[in-house]
Amino acid sequence: MFFCTLLITSLITNASEIKKNSVESTKPTSVNSQVLTIKSAVTAALADNPSLKTARERIKQYASLVSLTRSSLFPNIGFTVSAGSAQAALNSGNPPLFNGTTYNTYNSTISLTQPLYYFGALDAVDQSDYERKLKVTDLEVSERTITVHVINSFYNIILNERLLINLSKSKDVLKRSLETTMYREKIGRAQLLDVLQVKTQIASIQPQIESARNSYETAAAQLASYMGVSGKQTEIAIKGHLKTLLMKDLENHLDYKNYYLPELEANRLQLSQIADAKNVDAGKYLPNLKLTGNYLFNSYTASDLYSSNNNGWNAAVVLTIPIFEGLASRYDSANFASQELQLYSTRKDLENTLNLTQITSRKSLETAEISLVSAVEADKLAQESLAEATRQYKLATIDFLQYLTIQNTALTAASTLDQIRYNGISACANYFVASGQPLSVLIDVLSEGE
């Protein structure tokens, strides 16, 4: 178990390679301990990732703005009260009010404004709702991205742990070889040079072990960050293995007729939003109609303000007709036309990018699949060669240089096989994204047998 931002250990379970790949996991002992599979890791990340929480809250924010826009369609009622002093001019009447001396005024008004007709008013509400829908697509893209990151980090942990295990095994073999070589040198069947070569190899492999350990811990820290538990002393055991993904097995889970790409959906929403924005903008240059009304109380003494003799009212239907706006409507139309052309170009670029990503990821997956057959065979032969070389080295029928070459070949073959499996998983995740397939299907495939 290695300590990093997230205290983490790995439990590799592969029934077909239980001897070769299995490693005992230290049992979690902390209060917050848990065992993570790829499915539970993704679930935790989607629930607790800070950026996703922010995106969900932003959707709520824009939902409130939709209601705010809709509120402008309802009556606006206000109530005002004022109290003050005044003095009428001496020539304002015959006689002037209160003979030109200072007097008090008290006023109270209830006012009502109700829009009756405003072209594009309902479109303004729809336009605001499109902003909320766009934030939903942003969330979907973020969730998809986080899911891919979790998949890569999860299996990167296992990949680096496998490398760490293989390097540690090689070091153990070298240590045993050192004992054999030192014994032979003692009895005169080997030279001091052989002993120094073995010690050199042991010293050389240690930096590789440290590098693998650092990569392991970095992958663990990345996974912790995506899960939103960075900085917490939570001990987590990773349970999984580098599953071999074949295209023929995945085809049964792919639905090319019903696919969903949030980037294209966002582009469609933006185009629809412009159509509503045009109507909202046109409303500024067209007649609009509203109802206004006031119920007033006026008095010169506070006690008589709401007396039945001091009240009055008025109501009116107000029609506003814009006559000349400096050709602003023409410039607005040109602006919207340009925005539409940009969005259509963006959509074409999106489609090209997604098609390229789909082809690239599929080819990567096919390459990994083709390489896998040879890599499995090479790993099997390398392990057999290593076992035979170990036996012959003990019998002194081969020298250390031959033995070292065979050992390095075995390590390379094992690491290459693990890397190909990891590349296949990563390419598959990218392929699912580019082809609009739900990543939950891939998670289910990866979870089979765990």
Side-chain angles (χ1 to χ4, degrees):
M1 186 188 303
F2 302 109
F3 289 85
C4 52
T5 307
L6 173 70
L7 282 81
I8 190 164
T9 184
S10 177
L11 175 63
I12 301 178
T13 56
N14 188 338
S16 64
E17 300 182 9
I18 189 72
K19 274 188 163 183
K20 180 180 171 183
N21 291 350
S22 64
V23 58
E24 278 195 37
S25 166
T26 304
K27 184 178 180 181
T29 56
S30 65
V31 176
N32 297 323
S33 64
Q34 53 181 312
V35 177
L36 280 182
T37 62
I38 181 60
K39 181 174 291 187
S40 59
V42 169
T43 300
L46 294 180
D48 298 326
N49 184 272
S51 63
L52 295 183
K53 288 183 177 180
T54 300
R56 293 188 186 101
E57 197 59 38
R58 191 174 291 116
I59 292 174
K60 294 180 182 179
Q61 173 194 346
Y62 277 82
S64 299
L65 293 177
V66 174
S67 299
L68 179 63
T69 304
R70 186 180 292 109
S71 67
S72 64
L73 303 177
F74 296 103
N76 191 332
I77 301 175
F79 176 71
T80 59
V81 178
S82 64
S85 299
Q87 182 177 352
L90 293 176
N91 62 353
S92 61
N94 190 19
L97 195 61
F98 290 97
N99 294 318
T101 61
T102 302
Y103 61 92
N104 295 325
T105 62
Y106 301 92
N107 300 284
S108 178
T109 304
I110 298 175
S111 59
L112 166 70
T113 302
Q114 170 62 60
L116 296 179
Y117 174 77
Y118 193 106
F119 185 83
L122 293 177
D123 294 299
V125 178
D126 292 338
Q127 181 186 9
S128 180
D129 193 44
Y130 278 122
E131 287 293 339
R132 180 192 63 80
K133 292 176 180 178
L134 285 170
K135 297 306 173 186
V136 172
T137 61
D138 288 343
L139 174 61
E140 291 170 339
V141 172
S142 298
E143 287 180 337
R144 187 188 64 188
T145 301
I146 291 296
T147 300
V148 172
H149 286 331
V150 169
I151 292 173
N152 289 333
S153 295
F154 185 92
Y155 288 103
N156 199 22
I157 292 173
I158 298 175
L159 174 66
N160 283 286
E161 187 194 38
R162 290 283 303 121
L163 177 59
L164 186 59
I165 291 172
N166 290 332
L167 289 170
S168 298
K169 287 180 178 179
S170 295
K171 184 178 180 180
D172 291 339
V173 171
L174 287 171
K175 285 182 177 181
R176 291 193 296 270
S177 300
L178 177 61
E179 295 175 359
T180 302
T181 306
M182 290 177 67
Y183 173 75
R184 289 179 184 172
E185 191 266 340
K186 186 176 181 180
I187 64 176
R189 296 183 61 186
Q191 300 178 359
L192 177 60
L193 180 60
D194 294 329
V195 176
L196 293 176
Q197 284 183 326
V198 179
K199 289 183 176 180
T200 300
Q201 291 302 318
I202 293 175
S204 299
I205 204 172
Q206 188 59 39
Q208 300 179 50
I209 292 176
E210 293 302 323
S211 177
R213 180 179 287 111
N214 289 337
S215 298
Y216 174 86
E217 294 176 358
T218 299
Q222 287 178 337
L223 180 61
S225 177
Y226 296 138
M227 292 172 59
V229 295
S230 181
K232 295 181 180 179
Q233 294 295 302
T234 302
E235 185 178 292
I236 294 179
I238 295 298
K239 182 181 179 182
H241 64 278
L242 292 172
K243 190 179 183 69
T244 300
L245 294 179
L246 302 177
M247 202 64 214
K248 63 179 182 179
D249 298 326
L250 294 174
E251 290 290 353
N252 297 329
H253 301 280
L254 301 176
D255 185 356
Y256 295 108
K257 292 182 179 180
N258 300 308
Y259 64 90
Y260 177 72
L261 293 164
E263 294 92 344
L264 295 180
E265 175 64 12
N267 183 270
R268 185 193 67 80
L269 290 172
Q270 289 172 326
L271 286 169
S272 299
Q273 187 181 34
I274 286 182
D276 287 330
K278 287 180 180 179
N279 292 335
V280 174
D281 187 74
K284 298 187 298 184
Y285 311 113
L286 295 174
N288 62 79
L289 194 65
K290 64 181 179 180
L291 171 68
T292 63
N294 297 282
Y295 196 79
L296 312 96
F297 293 89
N298 298 302
S299 175
Y300 298 111
T301 59
S303 59
D304 293 335
L305 177 61
Y306 294 108
S307 170
S308 60
N309 296 324
N310 294 326
N311 67 321
W313 63 271
N314 62 69
V317 175
V318 181
L319 174 65
T320 303
I321 304 176
I323 297 177
F324 181 72
E325 76 290 347
L327 302 179
S329 59
R330 176 180 296 180
Y331 302 133
D332 277 340
S333 297
N335 174 46
F336 287 124
S338 177
Q339 289 184 44
E340 283 184 324
L341 289 175
Q342 292 176 51
L343 287 172
Y344 281 121
S345 298
T346 300
R347 186 178 187 87
K348 187 65 177 178
D349 185 54
L350 274 173
E351 291 173 346
N352 292 337
T353 301
L354 291 169
N355 286 337
L356 177 60
T357 304
Q358 184 176 351
I359 294 172
T360 303
S361 56
R362 186 181 180 98
K363 291 301 179 183
S364 298
L365 188 58
E366 291 174 353
T367 300
E369 185 173 339
I370 293 172
S371 303
L372 186 63
V373 178
S374 299
V376 169
E377 182 64 20
D379 181 58
K380 179 182 177 182
L381 293 174
Q383 295 303 320
E384 293 175 355
S385 298
L386 179 59
E388 178 62 20
T390 301
R391 187 184 69 84
Q392 291 190 22
Y393 183 68
K394 289 180 180 179
L395 298 174
T397 56
I398 61 173
D399 59 23
F400 178 71
L401 183 59
Q402 290 175 297
Y403 181 55
L404 178 62
T405 301
I406 294 172
Q407 183 186 17
N408 288 336
T409 301
L411 175 61
T412 300
S415 300
T416 300
L417 177 58
D418 290 336
Q419 187 66 54
I420 289 174
R421 283 177 172 149
Y422 173 80
N423 292 344
I425 293 173
S426 181
C428 190
N430 292 333
Y431 182 71
F432 266 66
V433 169
S435 57
Q437 305 298 312
L439 283 170
S440 58
V441 174
L442 177 59
I443 300 300
D444 291 337
V445 172
L446 292 171
S447 299
E448 292 175 358
E450 293 186 357

